[in-house]
């Protein structure tokens, strides 16, 4: 069974840092691009970042560019999101998501497996 | 960034109804449009990809259409488990962007 399990969320002060992890199982992790998508309380979905499967090319939303870093360790089947300079508006449930293709820039791409999410709260 | 606008933001319907949700892109995106369903407290699930292809396991009462800038998600014979929020998402370019969501509620 394909599973994604996020961890690392919590309460952090504005300006602080947090690293999210996502443990993947049930599929060949290195063959697929992976994404982070967030959802602020009571709001819609926002794509945050994505990384290709094997060449590790990375892509970011403008709202997090320069502050967040997505990475992956294919030997550990784990996806990461390093979040620095956190702001109140980064408060959200962060989902780890598997893409259908191995490369992010495929236009036919979509997100077929979602984790349950980990909550990040940025507040003093 | 490509802006995705859904309408309506919410609607009320009854079991057995046909529901149509619209998604408009701020620029042409060919057929690179996906639809997701989200139930309260749960992660989203993909329903439709590339505008009209049904994802594996999704009931055939869900269908999608559209090209360019205007797209629709149709739910025929609405079932109790279909009351949820629906999001469109473009995959034409980066950053990927979602519509704001359409909540389908019980009339």
């Amino acid at each position: 069974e394909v599973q994604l399990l996020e961890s690392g969320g919590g309460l952090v002060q504005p300006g602080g840092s947090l690293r999210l992890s996502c443990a993947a199982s049930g599929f060949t992790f290195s063959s697929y691009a992976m994404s982070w998508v967030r959802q602020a309380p009571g709001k819609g979905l926002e794509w945050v970042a994505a990384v290709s499967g094997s060449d590790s090319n990375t892509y970011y939303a403008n709202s997090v560019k320069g502050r967040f870093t997505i990475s992956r360790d294919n030997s550990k089947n784990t996806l990461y999101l390093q979040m620095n300079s956190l702001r109140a508006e980064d408060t959200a449930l962060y989902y780890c998501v598997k893409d259908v293709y191995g490369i992010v820039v495929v236009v036919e791409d979509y997100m077929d497996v979602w984790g349950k999410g980990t909550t990040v709260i940025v507040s003093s | 960034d490509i802006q995705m606008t859904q309408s309506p933001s919410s609607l009320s319907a009854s079991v057995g109804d046909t529901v149509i949700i619209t998604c408009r892109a701020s620029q042409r995106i060919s057929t690179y449009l996906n639809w997701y369903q989200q139930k309260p407290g749960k992660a989203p699930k993909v329903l439709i990809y590339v505008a009209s292809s049904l994802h594996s396991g999704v009931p055939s009462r869900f269908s999608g259409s559209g090209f360019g800038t205007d797209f629709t998600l149709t739910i025929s014979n609405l079932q109790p488990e279909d009351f949820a929020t629906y999001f469109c998402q473009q995959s034409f370019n980066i950053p990927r962007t979602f519509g704001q969501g359409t909540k389908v509620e019980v009339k």
Side-chain angles (χ1 to χ4, degrees):
Chain A
E1 181 190 1
V2 176
Q3 283 194 326
L4 299 171
L5 184 61
E6 302 95 335
S7 61
L11 174 64
V12 61
Q13 292 189 338
S17 298
L18 212 54
R19 188 174 87 153
L20 307 183
S21 299
C22 170
S25 60
F27 64 101
T28 305
F29 182 68
S30 60
S31 295
Y32 297 94
M34 298 292 295
S35 301
W36 289 97
V37 174
R38 68 185 181 185
Q39 187 168 35
K43 301 297 185 183
L45 302 170
E46 181 186 14
W47 178 88
V48 173
V51 58
S52 293
S54 56
D55 60 15
S56 291
N57 283 325
T58 57
Y59 307 83
Y60 297 94
N62 292 331
S63 59
V64 306
K65 200 173 293 183
R67 300 187 299 123
F68 289 12
T69 302
I70 188 172
S71 63
R72 63 192 299 158
D73 185 336
N74 288 340
S75 68
K76 295 182 178 179
N77 290 349
T78 303
L79 177 72
Y80 302 101
L81 185 67
Q82 177 67 43
M83 304 185 294
N84 298 330
S85 303
L86 282 161
R87 306 166 179 167
E89 54 265 35
D90 297 318
T91 294
L93 180 64
Y94 284 72
Y95 292 106
C96 169
V97 189
K98 171 187 169 291
D99 289 18
V100 173
Y101 291 93
I103 303 172
V104 176
V105 293
V106 174
V107 290
E108 298 91 348
D109 194 25
Y110 61 97
M111 294 172 273
D112 67 337
V113 181
W114 297 62
K116 289 181 166 53
T118 186
T119 298
V120 173
I121 300 173
V122 184
S123 175
S124 54
Chain B
D1 299 2
I2 298 176
Q3 306 302 316
M4 307 301 295
T5 304
Q6 289 181 232
S7 60
S9 296
S10 65
L11 63 89
S12 298
S14 301
V15 172
D17 284 354
T18 293
V19 166
I20 298 175
I21 298 168
T22 297
C23 178
R24 174 165 288 177
S26 61
Q27 68 183 71
R28 295 178 67 83
I29 59 171
S30 185
T31 58
Y32 303 120
L33 188 285
N34 309 309
W35 290 97
Y36 300 85
Q37 176 195 65
Q38 186 178 35
K39 296 181 180 179
K42 299 294 187 182
K45 293 183 179 180
V46 61
L47 299 173
I48 303 281
Y49 62 97
V50 196
S52 61
S53 295
L54 203 64
H55 185 65
S56 174
V58 175
S60 59
R61 62 180 180 272
F62 291 93
S63 63
S65 65
F67 180 86
T69 60
D70 295 310
F71 301 85
T72 59
L73 172 69
T74 300
I75 312 171
S76 303
N77 187 22
L78 193 70
Q79 294 300 297
E81 60 268 30
D82 300 337
F83 292 99
T85 301
Y86 295 85
F87 295 92
C88 63
Q89 175 245 327
Q90 65 80 18
S91 56
F92 183 74
N93 68 8
I94 305 291
R96 309 290 193 220
T97 45
F98 290 88
Q100 81 280 13
T102 296
K103 187 174 184 179
V104 177
E105 299 176 299
V106 177
K107 180 182 277 186

